[in-house]
Amino acid sequence: MSLSGTRTHLVQTARLNTFVREAGDPSAPVLVLVHGNVSSSVFFDALIEELSDTYRMIAPDHRGYGGSERKTIDATRGMADFSDDVVALLDALEITEPVDLLGWSAGGNIVLQVAIDHPGRVRKLILEAGGSPYGFGGTHGQDGTPTAADFAGTGGGTANPDFCARLAAGDRGEEATSPLTTLRAVYVKQGFTFDPEVEQRYLDGMLATSVGDDIYPGDSVPSDNWPGSGPGTTGTNNGLSPKYLNQRAFADLDPAPPVLWIRGEDDVIVSDTSLFDLAQLGKLGAIPDYPGEDVAPTQPMVSQLRAVLEAAGEVTEIVYADCGHSPHLEHPERFVADVRAFVQ
């Protein structure tokens, strides 16, 4: 058990052995919570408790994350390994009716992919700080035009190697590139403070990420284009490369499911000026030899997502003031109220 009323268990699906947090009446409407990169379902503990009075809450860990089986991510499928894993879990739990899905950060891309590939399984979508439908980095314009033919500056090579080393070593320190400092400074708006015990649980969830070419961040290949590396073929960050991920097809669904999009106005991860976009970092002088905006423009992630969602049809965008990348953690009461109003 995690928190009171939440059951944790392993579910063997047709694809992998999946660790799941679950709560609520098994006969109630289903809400599936899909976490993002370098995290796990533990980040949803409080949200599960808050909503389990009305919904059957299901929160899985991705392959290679948290307590789930480590199994190679085929990045050439974009987010489809993850989205197919979600559908396989629903099958294993014998859930056949359309469900509501909430995707946080890269989890937003996963639930979009579920809707694209398995539209009959989706009733409504909630995107929390969801990523661009054209992946992470390496594109420009609202239509996701590729910046370089080989998609340089995206994929496994974009992760900070010191952060990856500390993640693999289970580092619990407070150095600038440590997982704990990243949680405090990037996952939420700087200045937000966690309850110390809760913070350590979230850190546990981050440190349960499998580090390597197969999971996080993935492999990379050399590039003649700035900044010198391009996407490989395995691992999460490569699955998020625009070489393999293009979710423009969501706008062509007929009908597309209604979408609630909640984001923080101070998000530095998913932003039109993201501090994790290598082009933006080059522009700020943090990465050397930046070739300039004409050659390597920054990616307008928020604008790209808005363009696709508005083309799809029914979307409600809510921007939280004084909020970073994790609205459900930073403004939990408002977040719960907004989710309830939408799914009901």
Side-chain angles (χ1 to χ4, degrees), residues 202-261:
Y202 294 162
L203 179 59
D204 289 341
M206 295 174 70
L207 295 177
T209 303
S210 299
V211 178
D213 288 350
D214 57 331
I215 305 294
Y216 177 83
D219 59 343
S220 63
V221 297
S223 171
D224 292 333
N225 296 308
W226 184 88
S229 72
T233 60
T234 56
T236 304
N237 285 21
N238 290 314
L240 289 167
S241 167
K243 181 175 183 178
Y244 309 118
L245 185 66
N246 185 326
Q247 297 180 313
R248 176 63 179 77
F250 181 76
D252 299 325
L253 294 176
D254 185 19
V259 176
L260 172 64
W261 176 22

Side-chain angles (χ1 to χ4, degrees), residues 296-321:
T298 55
Q299 180 189 14
M301 302 176 185
V302 172
S303 300
Q304 289 175 344
L305 180 55
R306 182 180 297 115
V308 168
L309 294 181
E310 289 181 347
E314 186 179 341
V315 56
T316 301
E317 178 182 354
I318 303 177
V319 183
Y320 287 9

Side-chain angles (χ1 to χ4, degrees), residues 166-196:
R166 292 180 182 277
L167 192 67
D171 186 330
R172 307 188 77 91
E174 299 184 13
E175 291 76 15
T177 57
S178 73
L180 181 56
T181 297
T182 301
L183 171 64
R184 292 171 174 173
V186 176
Y187 283 38
V188 293
K189 182 181 178 180
Q190 282 197 333
F192 179 87
T193 56
F194 294 101
D195 173 87

Side-chain angles (χ1 to χ4, degrees), residues 2-59:
S2 51
L3 296 182
S4 175
T6 300
R7 183 168 65 101
T8 60
H9 58 124
L10 284 166
V11 178
Q12 182 63 57
T13 77
R15 292 174 57 80
L16 76 156
N17 206 8
T18 303
F19 181 90
V20 180
R21 284 179 164 80
E22 189 169 358
D25 185 341
S27 64
V30 175
L31 177 57
V32 182
L33 308 179
V34 182
H35 69 80
N37 206 356
V38 194
S39 63
S40 80
S41 60
V42 71
F43 280 83
F44 290 131
D45 257 347
L47 186 61
I48 292 169
E49 289 291 311
E50 286 293 329
L51 292 172
S52 62
D53 61 338
T54 310
Y55 310 101
R56 179 182 179 182
M57 304 296 296
I58 297 172

